[in-house]
Amino acid sequence: MTVKTVRLNRRPIRIWIPVLPVLLVLSPAIVLAVGVAAVACLVYRINLLRALGSGWRIVSALPGTRLGIEHGRTEVLVTIR
């Protein structure tokens, strides 16, 4: 994942963020979120396997996504590769 910050009249700053170490750091939160989603699926009678499959398809479709955020004279561009 690449994050690029563009500021008016200054050089842009480009930061490459490795995804695997970020996932390892966030893995406890991810496990907790999957558990909460599983309980919500049971409460609302949604097929758990179909919900997990849909979530996986969304995550696997992220490469190539570009997100641009502007605030004042600063713009942040996030590219997922």
Side-chain angles (χ1 to χ4, degrees):
M1 178 166 49
T2 305
V3 178
K4 179 180 173 185
T5 303
V6 179
R7 298 172 292 169
L8 189 64
N9 298 329
R10 294 188 183 175
R11 258 179 83 208
I13 299 172
R14 185 175 297 208
I15 302 169
W16 178 74
I17 300 173
V19 175
L20 185 60
V22 172
L23 285 177
L24 289 175
V25 170
L26 294 178
S27 62
I30 293 170
V31 169
L32 182 64
V34 169
V36 169
V39 170
C41 285
L42 291 174
V43 169
Y44 291 106
R45 297 183 181 150
I46 298 172
N47 186 346
L48 180 62
L49 292 177
R50 289 186 76 180
L52 289 175
S54 298
W56 179 253
R57 279 181 280 186
I58 291 171
V59 169
S60 64
L62 285 176
T65 302
R66 296 181 59 167
L67 175 67
I69 303 168
E70 289 186 37
H71 185 332
R73 293 186 283 166
T74 303
E75 180 181 6
V76 177
L77 302 169
V78 179
T79 305
I80 300 174
R81 296 180 185 199

